Amino acid sequence: MVPSLFTENFDYQTVDDLVHGVLGNQEILGNTMHVHVVEDGYAARVTDFFTYKAVSTDVLEKWAYPFSPDTEWSNENGISLVSFGNKYAVSSKLFSKKCNLGSNVVIGDNTAIKYGASISNSVIGNNCIIGANVSIRNCYVWDNTVIEDDCSLTNTIICEQVRLYKNTRLLATSKDTMAMQNIDFVLGKGVHLGPNVTLDQPVLLTAAAMKDDWGEPFSAYESKGESGRAFNFVQPTEESSDDEGDGDDTSAEEDDSEDDAVIPDTELFYNEVLDTLQRAEKENISADNIILDINSLKHAYNIQINEVNHMVIQAVLQRPLQDISDTATSSQLLTNLKPLLKLCVHVFKNYYRSDKSQHECLLAIKEFVCDQSHDLYTPIIGQVLMFFYQNDILDEDVIVKWYETSLQPGKFKTQVSKLVEWFNEAESDSESD
C-alpha cells in the first residue's frame, strides 16, 4: 500500500512527508500498517552534514553503545582503545611520540602522524599522512588523504584522495555557520589545496567543474594555491537550464517565457484554490469534491503538503473579503465567512489532522491577519478560532501552545487571549465538579 501511494504522490520528498501527507489526507480504511516501536537502544538517520557529525560524535563518545569503534558490533578493522578519552587506532606504530591525540579520536590502518601534530574530536581514515605541526579539530578525514606540514583544519569533511599542501588553513571566522549545519568546509574527492592558502568562509569544493544538462561547465574554477585544484560547488537550478535551452528562441518567445516565470506555482495554486472555493459556494459543491480539486491542483503545481496546509486556510479567509466593500465592518465579514467555514469543515479536518498541521494552520492565520494587514479579522479572530475548536478541527493544546510561543503582544494576541482564558475557566470548572 505505502509504495504505491509513494509512487503516485511523487512530490513528497521524504517518508515523513508521506506519512503526514498521503496517509493523513487519503482514505486508507481497510489497509493495515505494521509498526515496530523501538523502546530502547540507539537509532539515527544521516541525511545531512549536521546529522553526519552528530551521529559520528555519538559513536565516538559511546552514546550509541554497543555501536562503538572497539566493539564486535562495528569493528571490522581491528580498532582498539589505545588510551583513555576515547582514543582509538588500529596501530600506533606510525605515530610520532611527539604527536598529541586529544579525546574522541579514531585513527585508521596504515596512517602516519608526524611530529607535533594535534588531533581532537576527529576521525582519520586508512592510508593517510598527517604532517608535522598539523592541527585537526572536529574533522572527518577519509581514506588516502595527505595533509602536509603546518596545516590547520576545523569543522571539515575531507573526502578520499584529497591533498592539502603546506600551510593550508581551513578556519571559518563567520559566526553564521548554520547554512553549513556545523560543518564549515567540505572537500570533495581529489581536491588539492595550497600551499599557503587560508579559507575563512564556509565552502564546498569539488575537483572538477559542475556541468549542466548540455555538458557545459557552470561552476567557476577557484585558484587555491599554486598546486590547487578546486571548483566551487554550485547547485544547478531549473531556471538556469531553461534559459540555456531557450537560447535560440525568438525574442517574442523569450518574452512569453519571462511572463510565465513571473507568477510562481504557489501563487497560481493559491488563485486556483480561491476559484474552487468561489465555485463551491455558487454551485453547492460538496466538501469531498473540494478536497479532490485541491489535491489535483497540488499535484499539478507540485506543491508540498505544508504549503497546502498554509494556503488552504488563507484562501478561505481571503474568499469573503472579495465580496465585501471597503467600508464593511468585522461583523459583516464574519457573517459572510460563516457559511464558507461550515462548508469547509470536512476540508479542514482532512488537512489539519496532526498537531504539526494544526500549528501550520494557526501560523498561516496569524500571517494572513497580522503580516498581510487584514486588520478586519482582528476583532473576530477569537470567534473564528472558537469555530475551529468546537468543530474538532483545532485542539485546545495546540492553540494554547501557539498562543504562548508564537504570538507577540498586540491586539491580535489580546483577542486570542479571550479564548485561552475561556479554556482555563472551563478546565477550572471541570476540576471543581
Side-chain angles (χ1 to χ4, degrees):
M1 180 65 182
V2 172
S4 62
L5 288 175
F6 199 57
T7 302
E8 294 170 1
N9 298 273
F10 51 83
D11 58 327
Y12 288 105
Q13 297 178 347
T14 66
V15 175
D16 290 339
D17 288 340
L18 172 71
V19 172
H20 288 99
V22 176
L23 301 186
N25 296 335
Q26 296 197 14
E27 294 294 335
I28 57 172
L29 297 178
N31 294 282
T32 302
M33 292 182 63
H34 299 278
V35 176
H36 174 71
V37 179
V38 178
E39 297 181 350
D40 55 11
Y42 183 91
R45 180 191 303 161
V46 174
T47 57
D48 50 30
F49 296 135
F50 175 79
T51 51
Y52 178 89
K53 183 176 182 179
V55 172
S56 298
T57 301
D58 287 346
V59 172
L60 287 175
E61 296 180 351
K62 292 193 173 183
W63 291 107
Y65 188 84
F67 299 101
S68 62
D70 60 337
T71 63
E72 60 181 350
W73 291 95
S74 55
N75 187 358
E76 298 178 355
N77 299 314
I79 294 176
S80 59
L81 186 68
V82 296
S83 66
F84 295 107
N86 298 329
K87 303 172 187 178
Y88 305 94
V90 176
S91 172
S92 60
K93 64 182 180 180
L94 298 179
F95 298 179
S96 169
K97 294 182 178 179
K98 296 295 185 179
C99 71
N100 178 24
L101 298 184
S103 59
N104 302 322
V105 170
V106 176
I107 309 295
D109 189 23
N110 198 34
T111 288
I113 303 177
K114 297 184 179 180
Y115 178 91
S118 176
I119 304 173
S120 63
N121 298 307
S122 299
V123 178
I124 311 297
N126 300 322
N127 305 311
C128 295
I129 298 176
I130 309 300
N133 301 314
V134 168
S135 174
I136 299 177
R137 182 167 55 89
N138 298 325
C139 296
Y140 302 89
V141 180
W142 297 7
D143 296 346
N144 303 306
T145 290
V146 176
I147 302 175
E148 295 188 359
D149 299 348
D150 301 312
C151 293
S152 295
L153 294 76
T154 61
N155 299 336
T156 303
I157 295 177
I158 297 180
C159 298
E160 295 178 344
Q161 301 174 17
V162 170
R163 189 178 191 99
L164 303 184
Y165 295 92
K166 289 184 178 181
N167 198 33
T168 297
R169 304 171 67 83
L170 308 181
L171 305 170
T173 59
S174 173
K175 294 182 179 179
D176 183 14
T177 60
M178 287 308 294
M180 298 291 294
Q181 300 190 341
N182 293 331
I183 290 292
D184 296 320
F185 306 98
V186 178
L187 309 185
K189 181 179 179 179
V191 166
H192 288 189
L193 293 181
N196 303 314
V197 166
T198 297
L199 303 183
D200 58 6
Q201 296 296 325
V203 68
L204 286 80
L205 297 176
T206 61
M210 304 294 295
K211 295 183 179 181
D212 59 20
D213 294 338
W214 303 92
E216 296 294 330
F218 61 85
S219 58
Y221 172 74
E222 290 290 325
S223 177
K224 303 297 184 183
E226 295 178 0
S227 303
R229 183 177 66 198
F231 293 80
N232 279 336
F233 176 83
V234 178
Q235 183 67 40
T237 61
E238 294 181 3
E239 289 79 4
S240 61
S241 298
D242 292 342
D243 291 343
E244 293 174 3
D246 295 339
D248 296 331
D249 292 346
T250 63
S251 58
E253 290 174 340
E254 290 176 356
D255 292 339
D256 291 341
S257 64
E258 290 177 359
D259 291 340
D260 292 340
V262 169
I263 304 177
D265 286 346
T266 52
E267 185 174 339
L268 293 172
F269 171 81
Y270 182 78
N271 291 334
E272 291 278 9
V273 173
L274 275 174
D275 292 341
T276 297
L277 295 175
Q278 184 177 22
R279 189 170 65 255
E281 290 178 301
K282 291 182 179 180
E283 302 176 10
N284 196 27
I285 297 175
S286 67
D288 288 336
N289 286 333
I290 295 175
I291 294 171
L292 183 62
D293 284 350
I294 292 175
N295 287 341
S296 298
L297 293 170
K298 168 181 171 294
H299 297 306
Y301 291 107
N302 194 26
I303 305 299
Q304 301 299 317
I305 188 63
N306 62 310
E307 295 176 311
V308 174
N309 293 338
H310 197 84
M311 287 186 278
V312 164
I313 181 59
Q314 291 196 347
V316 171
L317 297 178
Q318 177 71 43
R319 176 66 198 99
L321 291 173
Q322 296 176 325
D323 295 336
I324 62 175
S325 65
D326 294 338
T327 59
T329 64
S330 296
S331 298
Q332 292 172 326
L333 173 60
L334 183 61
T335 300
N336 282 14
L337 177 65
K338 282 182 177 179
L340 183 58
L341 291 179
K342 293 177 181 178
L343 175 63
C344 292
V345 166
H346 183 59
V347 177
F348 295 141
K349 289 184 176 181
N350 180 74
Y351 290 109
Y352 306 125
R353 299 185 183 186
S354 66
D355 289 353
K356 179 182 177 182
S357 60
Q358 291 178 28
H359 185 68
E360 291 171 350
C361 172
L362 289 167
L363 290 177
I365 292 174
K366 185 261 182 185
E367 176 187 293
F368 183 84
V369 177
C370 300
D371 300 343
Q372 300 180 19
S373 301
H374 293 109
D375 298 331
L376 208 58
Y377 268 102
T378 301
I380 61 172
I381 193 61
Q383 294 167 269
V384 174
L385 295 178
M386 176 62 81
F387 175 88
F388 280 89
Y389 170 72
Q390 291 178 334
N391 286 275
D392 298 324
I393 299 167
L394 298 178
D395 294 337
E396 175 183 342
D397 293 341
V398 177
I399 296 175
V400 172
K401 183 178 180 180
W402 166 72
Y403 168 80
E404 293 175 345
T405 60
S406 301
L407 298 186
Q408 301 297 324
K411 294 180 181 179
F412 184 86
K413 186 171 185 178
T414 300
Q415 293 296 325
V416 179
S417 67
K418 298 176 182 178
L419 177 61
V420 175
E421 291 173 1
W422 183 83
F423 286 151
N424 295 333
E425 291 174 0
E427 185 176 353
S428 299
D429 291 343
S430 62
E431 290 178 355
S432 61
D433 293 342

